[in-house]
Amino acid sequence: MSEATENAKAVFLDRDGVINPLVYNPVTLVYESPNSPDDFEVYPYVKKSLELLKLSGYKTIVVSNQPSFAKGKATWENIKEIERKLYDFSVGNGCLLDDYYYCYHHPEGIVPEYSIVCKCRKPGTLFPEQAVNKYDLDKSLCYFIGDSDTDIMCGKAMGFVTVRIGSERPVSNSGAVAPDMFASDLYKAVLDIVNRR
Ligand SMILES: [Mg+2]
Ligand SMILES: [Zn+2]
């Protein structure tokens, strides 16, 4: 494989439900994104999963919707502290993640400046498009791994191969859009990806 090809592929990763477990909310009775840093922990297989992707020449890029501040469900400090925990995990293990794109908007939020219709909220493709340009990626060699329909829709719109994680804590908006591949967790998804070609 040429050097150009080696640099041109990436795996895009949803965060909540893929890298870290969702958290049961006793008020809404569903599993949701963590709103406090105390509720954030990466799954035990994330390190070996990302190491394998790096070893196989993939850039690893997080694309995550984080509307909890816009909705008044989390403080800005907590949102940022959770991001810092993931960043520190990555850097502490030799930079396992290359980039992070977070959308803080929600069309029906209560914080005015974040309560807008934006192009960065998945399934919007603004962030993957920016990453494709920034890293000169070949879309046909890229993957999107996520646990929600919006992840699969976003990946498909980009022309990526899509992988749905079938979490043991399924999210409510999952199942209406067919992904290209299924996996029970991130590590299984990564094994399928690196063994695919
Ligand atoms: Mg998710
Ligand atoms: Zn946005």
Side-chain angles (χ1 to χ4, degrees), residues 147-149 164 171-178:
D147 65 341
S148 297
D149 286 339
R164 171 147 55 231
V171 285
S172 49
N173 60 337
S174 177
V177 186

Side-chain angles (χ1 to χ4, degrees), residues 13-194:
L13 301 141
D14 173 40
R15 192 189 75 186
D16 302 327
V18 174
I19 290 174
N20 54 281
L22 300 173
V23 181
Y24 188 69
N25 182 329
V27 178
T28 59
L29 306 180
V30 292
Y31 288 100
E32 298 179 345
S33 298
N35 289 324
S36 158
D38 292 340
D39 289 335
F40 180 87
E41 54 172 3
V42 301
Y43 278 118
Y45 45 75
V46 173
K47 181 170 180 281
K48 67 179 177 182
S49 301
L50 298 178
E51 282 173 345
L52 187 51
L53 287 178
K54 303 307 295 174
L55 209 58
S56 304
Y58 287 95
K59 293 235 177 294
T60 49
I61 299 167
V62 173
V63 181
S64 177
N65 290 348
Q66 293 298 327
S68 288
F69 177 72
K71 289 175 169 179
K73 291 165 69 177
T75 65
W76 185 252
E77 290 70 25
N78 277 357
I79 293 285
K80 286 290 157 186
E81 186 56 31
I82 291 170
E83 289 173 18
R84 174 164 294 280
K85 282 184 88 168
L86 181 59
Y87 178 82
D88 287 347
F89 165 81
S90 167
V91 172
N93 288 289
C95 275
L96 297 174
L97 291 164
D98 291 295
D99 219 335
Y100 312 78
Y101 293 86
Y102 294 106
C103 166
Y104 304 109
H105 307 114
H106 194 277
E108 286 146 32
I110 59 167
V111 179
E113 62 266 43
Y114 288 95
S115 301
I116 58 167
V117 175
C118 66
K119 291 195 163 80
C120 48
R121 178 173 166 79
K122 293 176 291 184
T125 55
L126 181 65
F127 286 153
E129 282 167 11
Q130 287 177 344
V132 163
N133 289 330
K134 181 175 177 181
Y135 296 107
D136 198 18
L137 301 172
D138 180 340
K139 292 183 190 178
S140 69
L141 299 178
C142 292
Y143 290 80
F144 205 118
I145 303 177
D147 65 341
S148 297
D149 286 339
T150 47
D151 299 311
I152 306 307
M153 290 160 68
C154 178
K156 278 183 181 291
M158 288 299 296
F160 299 164
V161 179
T162 55
V163 188
R164 171 147 55 231
I165 300 297
S167 170
E168 81 278 17
R169 299 174 175 184
V171 285
S172 49
N173 60 337
S174 177
V177 186
D180 297 300
M181 298 160 62
F182 282 101
S184 56
D185 62 40
L186 174 62
Y187 188 56
K188 305 271 178 19
V190 167
L191 287 177
D192 286 345
I193 289 170
V194 299

